């Protein structure tokens, strides 16, 4: 098992950390939640939402604070710690890990907004949570002091647990009515939008990723974040939140929120596969004695550990650059982006092999292997996990072309 005990904390408190003691406490807390998360998984699926008890336990354990600025009671720790926690949660309930990832990472993004936005959200209660739907489907009208926003966004995971939402839209200009260079994230309070309960899917049912509807509401300029600021790692919030953590590229932090749950689910599927192999009879022998089953188990375990280490290595490299005040090389950012997107592809393939090897019992309702497989399948639908465009961009750069993706 990969050890995360030496992951450092970032920010001013780093010099006082004892070999990542806080990091290990958080990871241990996530592991300890395993039995409760498994017990609630069926309820999450049936209710199309992660139970309130689980979200409260995430609060109590400090999971939502991991990437939150210290000025708001957060820990401002390295992303490696946050995603190590997510991996542990996902082994037991991928839906719970999914909403933890996408909601808690917003506490990082709010830190790069104009500080007035954080004041709006956290002034009375720094535990308030934010959901999101970043698809650029909003209709924007530029007005004095800000914008008028309308639209309907899908896939706002965990929205019922949140009081604010990040929503995506492109600000039109006379020269370019729709140019992704003018993409922004808009921050709205729950009073300004409606949650439409329509989450009916084959996997990740517990995420409650309902639609969000907005009808011509005012959003002040300071409650928007330009994607180009995130790409350049020079954000309005950096005047207040100047720790190296908040100099990370936005997409490099966010995309791991939608593949880490997949990787943890694959690890959970491996544990389920091993359990099946210990008891399933294949002819005169137990499946666990079949060389094919053993080779497959070794392949899956090795692949999972490789993907974990790739994530840690990439964040180590990016945080080292941020601490040194140096830009992260663009070719590295492109490669790191692909490394994240391809996780879902690899996990789906590995899960499919295990499901097939488990035999006819794997397709029965109640099969853990099938449940994990469907969760992994659902995760692949997220645009950030669609690896082909990122592979194409990376390959083009290897052939000498310029980077064509400014969301890396």
């Amino acid at each position: 098992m990969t050890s995360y005990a030496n992951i450092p904390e970032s920010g001013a408190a780093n010099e006082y950390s004892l070999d990542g003691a806080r990091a290990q406490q958080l990871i241990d807390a996530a592991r300890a939640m395993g039995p409760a998360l498994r017990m609630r998984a069926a309820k999450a699926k049936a209710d199309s939402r992660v139970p309130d008890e689980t979200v409260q336990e995430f609060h109590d354990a400090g999971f939502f604070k991991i990437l939150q600025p210290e000025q708001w009671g957060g820990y401002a720790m390295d992303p490696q710690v946050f995603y190590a926690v997510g991996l542990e949660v996902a082994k037991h309930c991928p839906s719970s890990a999914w909403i933890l990832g996408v909601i808690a990472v917003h506490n990082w993004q709010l830190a790069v907004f104009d500080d007035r936005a954080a004041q709006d959200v956290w002034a009375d209660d720094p535990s308030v949570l934010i959901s999101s739907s970043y698809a650029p489907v909003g209709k924007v009208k530029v007005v004095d002091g800000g914008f008028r926003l309308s639209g309907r966004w899908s896939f706002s995971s965990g929205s019922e647990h949140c009081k604010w939402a990040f929503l995506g839209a492109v600000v039109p200009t006379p020269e370019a009515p729709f140019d992704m260079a003018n993409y922004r994230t808009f921050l709205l309070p729950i009073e300004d939008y409606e949650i439409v309960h329509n989450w009916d899917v084959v996997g990740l049912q517990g995420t409650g990723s309902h639609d969000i509807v907005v009808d011509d509401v005012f959003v002040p300029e300071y409650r928007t974040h330009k994607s180009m600021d995130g790409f350049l790692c020079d954000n309005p919030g950096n005047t207040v939140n100047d720790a190296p953590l908040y100099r990370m590229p936005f997409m490099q932090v966010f995309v791991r929120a939608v593949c880490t749950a997949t990787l943890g689910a694959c690890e959970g599927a491996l544990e389920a596969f091993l359990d099946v192999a210990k008891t399933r009879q294949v002819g005169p022998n137990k499946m666990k004695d079949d060389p094919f089953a053993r080779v497959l188990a070794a392949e899956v375990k090795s692949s999972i550990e490789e993907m974990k280490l790739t994530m840690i290595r990439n964040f180590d490299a990016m945080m080292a650059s941020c601490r040194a005040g140096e830009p992260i090389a663009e070719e590295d950012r492109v490669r790191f982006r692909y490394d994240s997107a391809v996780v879902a592809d690899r996990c789906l393939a590995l899960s499919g092999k295990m499901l097939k090897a488990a035999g006819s019992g794997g397709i029965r309702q109640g099969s853990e292997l099938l449940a994990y497989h469907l969760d992994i399948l659902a995760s692949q639908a997220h645009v950030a996990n669609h690896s082909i465009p990122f592979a194409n961009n990376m390959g083009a750069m290897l052939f000498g072309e310029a980077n064509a993706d400014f969301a890396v």
Side-chain angles (χ1 to χ4, degrees):
M1 180 177 291
T2 303
S3 173
Y4 299 95
N6 294 318
I7 295 174
E9 299 178 29
S10 63
N14 184 47
E15 61 187 290
Y16 304 108
S17 67
L18 299 175
D19 197 28
R22 176 180 279 170
Q24 197 60 56
Q25 289 170 0
L26 289 160
I27 295 162
D28 289 345
R31 288 176 182 152
M33 289 180 191
L37 293 171
R38 283 181 177 272
M39 182 180 67
R40 297 176 192 143
K43 178 175 174 55
K45 179 178 179 179
D47 294 347
S48 295
R49 62 177 282 159
V50 169
D52 292 340
E53 306 96 291
T54 296
V55 175
Q56 186 58 55
E57 286 172 9
F58 289 167
H59 275 296
D60 295 343
F63 295 167
F64 293 112
K65 296 180 179 181
I66 298 175
L67 300 178
Q68 189 173 23
E70 292 174 339
Q71 65 162 319
W72 297 107
Y75 304 151
M77 300 174 81
D78 283 13
Q80 299 94 306
V81 179
F82 178 60
Y83 291 117
V85 167
L87 284 169
E88 293 297 329
V89 172
K91 287 193 295 187
H92 306 287
C93 180
S95 286
S96 295
W98 185 276
I99 73 157
L100 172 63
V102 298
I103 292 176
V105 81
H106 298 150
N107 289 358
W108 178 91
Q109 188 184 6
L110 188 57
V112 300
F113 270 67
D114 185 302
D115 189 56
R116 288 174 291 176
Q119 298 285 343
D120 286 352
V121 176
W122 287 330
D124 296 328
D125 182 3
S127 70
V128 167
L129 304 177
I130 306 166
S131 70
S132 68
S133 183
Y134 292 101
V137 297
K139 304 301 181 184
V140 180
K141 180 181 179 182
V142 181
V143 297
D144 186 34
F147 310 92
R148 306 292 305 187
L149 181 68
S150 298
R152 181 168 182 150
W153 291 258
S154 296
F155 307 108
S156 186
S157 299
S159 50
E160 292 176 292
H161 299 289
C162 302
K163 294 183 179 179
W164 290 74
F166 286 141
L167 302 173
V170 171
V171 177
T173 66
E175 301 78 20
F178 190 92
D179 183 347
M180 285 298 290
N182 297 323
Y183 176 90
R184 298 193 190 203
T185 301
F186 291 73
L187 173 64
L188 282 70
I190 196 168
E191 295 81 10
D192 285 353
Y193 59 85
E194 175 190 0
I195 300 174
V196 179
H197 295 79
N198 64 343
W199 189 238
D200 185 12
V201 289
V202 299
L204 293 174
Q205 294 97 329
T207 64
S209 303
H210 302 296
D211 282 10
I212 299 289
V213 176
V214 175
D215 184 15
D216 189 33
V217 301
F218 174 72
V219 183
E221 169 80 25
Y222 73 84
R223 277 208 258 119
T224 70
H225 178 241
K226 299 177 183 177
S227 65
M228 195 56 68
D229 289 345
F231 174 75
L232 297 173
C233 305
D234 187 13
N235 304 281
N238 292 141
T239 59
V240 174
N241 301 303
D242 58 357
L245 170 64
Y246 304 110
R247 292 290 183 180
M248 288 277 290
F250 165 71
M251 271 298 173
Q252 297 291 344
V253 180
F254 174 77
V255 294
R256 283 288 174 180
V258 291
C259 76
T260 300
T262 310
L263 182 54
C266 191
E267 190 163 19
L270 174 59
E271 293 180 2
F273 175 75
L274 296 176
D275 287 341
V276 169
K278 291 172 186 176
T279 58
R280 182 173 183 249
Q281 200 75 20
V282 182
N285 302 313
K286 287 284 195 296
M287 183 178 164
K288 69 180 181 64
D289 298 319
D290 181 356
F292 173 77
R294 292 179 173 184
V295 169
L296 178 56
E299 176 192 355
V300 175
K301 179 63 174 177
S302 179
S303 298
I304 289 170
E305 293 303 316
E306 176 200 337
M307 286 184 274
K308 286 183 184 179
L309 290 171
T310 296
M311 177 189 71
I312 294 169
R313 178 202 66 191
N314 292 355
F315 277 127
D316 280 348
M318 288 188 285
M319 286 302 302
S321 294
C322 292
R323 287 192 175 95
E326 299 171 351
I328 303 165
E330 196 166 26
E331 59 268 27
D332 288 340
R333 289 170 63 164
V334 168
R335 175 167 54 86
F336 297 161
R337 185 68 185 81
Y338 172 72
D339 286 342
S340 176
V342 79
V343 166
D345 294 341
R346 295 183 66 186
C347 288
L348 187 65
L350 294 168
S351 175
K353 287 183 179 182
M354 290 188 287
L355 187 63
K356 183 177 181 178
S360 57
I363 64 171
R364 292 186 182 277
Q365 293 292 348
S367 163
E368 277 196 308
L369 272 171
L370 179 60
Y372 281 118
H373 186 75
L374 292 175
D375 285 343
I376 293 168
L377 176 66
S379 78
Q380 198 182 40
H382 195 289
V383 66
N385 291 334
H386 183 33
S387 63
I388 293 175
F390 308 112
N392 179 54
N393 187 44
M394 179 179 168
M397 290 189 70
L398 291 173
F399 283 109
E401 301 292 331
N403 172 38
D405 184 2
F406 294 99
V408 295

